[in-house]
Amino acid sequence: MEMLEEYKKEVNDSVNKKDKIVCMDYSIKENKDVVYCAIPKSLLNVWLDVYQVSFKKYIDFIVKNYSGLLWEDGKDINTSASLRHILINAKMLEEIDFNIAKQSEESNQSEQSMNTYYNIKKNFGFGCMRLPMKDDEVDYDEFTKMVDTFIEEGFNYFDTAHGYLNGKSEIALRECLTSRYPRESYVLANKLSTHHFSKQEDIRPLFKSQLEACGVEYFDFYLMHAQDKNIFDKYKECNAYETAFELKSEGYIRHVGISFHDKAAVLDQILAEYPDIEVVQIQFNYVDYDDPSVESRKVYEVCRNHNKPVIIMEPVKGGCLVNLPVDAQAIFDELDGGSNASYAIRFAAGFEGVMMVLSGMGNMEMMNDNISYMKDFKPLNDKEHEAIKKVCDIFNSQNHIPCTACKYCTERCPQNIPIPDIFACLNDKKTFNTWNPEYYYGVHTQKGGKASECIACGICEEICPQHLKIRDLLKDVAAEFEKQEEADESNE
């Protein structure tokens, strides 16, 4: 009690000296109180400046480890609420410093051991849905240089799927990676995609063809691809999960996981029914984090509740977080010179339990930028987090189409409408309002495939991972970009 009174006196002295008190509130479920951690700012600033630990992490630690130093009294910080306070003095900072450093080291060791178990060297992977292209073919020379640079810089995780680039992604990996490097030097993930099988008997022949296309004898990770409620039902009917686990027992797969595009409740159901799933790949970026149509945060929390390592896809939302609105760009320009992609990827990689962040890289410039900040990864600091929050507010005010350009829809569209490309045109029109979107709409549709040519068959909506109402959105695109054509025709 004497020690507690000493702490109270120190904080009260600071109040009397008009030294600002730094506080953070926590809702405590057990007693429904609010906890305030009250710290003289003169003490706090010194500690945070020296040790570069975020305020939230600091307070989290205090609330967890010093709850015995709580007392009830709201008057010390001029509030009438019924509060409990934790008071920290300079002497306690030394102990907190040691304990947080120890806790951080243990956390880093845990993350390192997780990736060591999977033979993964770093937390950044090469997503091969987007590759350098030349005349509609993968540019092997450029891709080979990128693979070599990626491995030389200490990275070794590659992700593909049978349908990526209409099968060209797997073959490119064989030509540029697997035929040139020892098998133990890289980690390769592939997927079982729904539109490549219709019954259980199709799965093993498909799997064998994927091994042959990639030029390997086993996959390090094999994911049930793009799981949502309807696709999951199909996979259960076809015993897809059971077949994957059989292939694992036979040595053809090291780890079985899923990639996921649906609401959190569906993921919870899948992980409850198949608890042996080892990893979960989710769409996760700062714009989708609290988007109710994607539920990135809630989906991530389900992964953590089931203790599943997380692989992040779409950290830059198919490139949407690279080319920002002018007012959003101005916010990042005030920071310390990082690229827009760097803030997006570091945001995703900074969450606990994230073992891997994937990025599609179409050229060496993208790769060099990504390597520059992921080789020695550092999470976002408080200033950068605040900037991202401001950028999110701008995005949320613009009503963009949340298309990630996966192009699953275009593979099945009977009218060959370049849906992601013309959606991007509409988004650019909303964001920048220049002549460019109209120009590129003409480029994308000059050989046909205009938005107005949609026959409303609905195939695109069935396969869209984002569950977009594509038919309605195509009407919006047509209304925006084809109205001038209609006017010209009426004048002829």
Side-chain angles (χ1 to χ4, degrees), residues 98-333:
F98 172 79
N99 287 331
I100 286 189
K102 182 179 179 182
Q103 187 183 63
S104 178
E105 180 180 355
E106 290 172 351
S107 175
N108 289 338
Q109 288 175 348
S110 174
E111 294 296 321
Q112 290 172 0
S113 65
M114 176 176 69
N115 279 1
T116 300
Y117 173 72
Y118 293 130
N119 194 32
I120 297 170
K121 291 183 178 179
K122 292 185 180 293
N123 64 341
F124 179 70
F126 199 146
C128 297
M129 185 170 75
R130 302 175 180 91
L131 295 176
M133 305 296 289
K134 181 187 292 185
D135 298 328
D136 202 35
E137 297 293 333
V138 177
D139 185 342
Y140 283 2
D141 290 339
E142 181 75 359
F143 186 36
T144 297
K145 292 176 186 177
M146 294 172 72
V147 167
D148 291 346
T149 299
F150 196 66
I151 290 180
E152 287 167 5
E153 294 290 347
F155 302 88
N156 70 336
Y157 189 98
F158 296 83
D159 171 271
T160 189
H162 196 54
Y164 287 177
L165 301 175
N166 293 318
K168 297 172 185 176
S169 174
E170 290 177 325
I171 295 171
L173 281 165
R174 183 187 67 207
E175 297 301 312
C176 304
L177 171 68
T178 69
S179 64
R180 301 175 58 248
Y181 285 89
R183 183 62 183 89
E184 67 275 7
S185 67
Y186 57 86
V187 174
L188 181 59
N190 209 324
K191 307 178 187 73
L192 176 64
S193 304
T194 183
H195 45 284
H196 293 298
F197 74 98
S198 57
K199 56 185 182 298
Q200 183 177 6
E201 290 76 16
D202 297 335
I203 296 175
R204 281 181 175 267
L206 169 62
F207 180 83
K208 181 180 179 181
S209 73
Q210 291 180 275
L211 289 176
E212 292 173 352
C214 291
V216 295
E217 295 182 351
Y218 67 88
F219 292 121
D220 298 278
F221 292 85
Y222 197 65
L223 310 183
M224 305 295 100
H225 195 189
Q227 298 295 280
D228 62 20
K229 185 180 185 305
N230 294 329
I231 291 176
F232 177 56
D233 288 342
K234 173 188 173 179
Y235 278 53
K236 286 199 297 182
E237 291 172 4
C238 294
N239 291 317
Y241 284 80
E242 289 77 7
T243 303
F245 286 119
E246 288 173 6
L247 289 165
K248 178 185 176 182
S249 69
E250 295 165 14
Y252 295 110
I253 297 171
R254 295 291 186 264
H255 306 287
V256 176
I258 67 172
S259 70
F260 183 78
H261 290 280
D262 208 333
K263 298 299 182 71
V266 177
L267 177 60
D268 192 50
Q269 175 193 351
I270 294 174
L271 296 180
E273 292 190 31
Y274 290 97
D276 290 335
I277 290 169
E278 296 173 79
V279 294
V280 181
Q281 184 167 306
I282 65 172
Q283 177 173 321
F284 191 92
N285 55 69
Y286 62 75
V287 170
D288 289 333
Y289 186 67
D290 282 316
D291 186 329
S293 68
V294 182
E295 293 192 348
S296 284
R297 176 178 57 80
K298 292 181 179 179
V299 166
Y300 163 78
E301 289 169 352
V302 170
C303 295
R304 300 299 295 152
N305 290 340
H306 286 268
N307 198 30
K308 304 299 181 184
V310 178
I311 301 171
I312 299 296
M313 57 182 159
E314 303 292 356
V316 294
K317 202 171 173 62
C320 292
L321 304 185
V322 173
N323 301 311
L324 298 175
V326 174
D327 45 356
Q329 185 62 56
I331 292 170
F332 281 159
D333 288 345

Side-chain angles (χ1 to χ4, degrees), residues 1-12 38 66-73 76 84-89 92:
M1 182 61 67
E2 182 177 344
M3 183 182 295
L4 181 57
E5 290 302 319
E6 183 180 323
Y7 297 153
K8 289 181 66 174
K9 182 177 185 301
E10 182 169 356
V11 171
N12 288 334
Y66 291 88
S67 58
L69 297 176
L70 298 174
W71 91 97
E72 293 189 13
D73 185 354
D76 291 328
R84 297 193 300 159
H85 302 131
I86 304 173
L87 300 179
I88 307 300
N89 69 2
M92 287 180 66

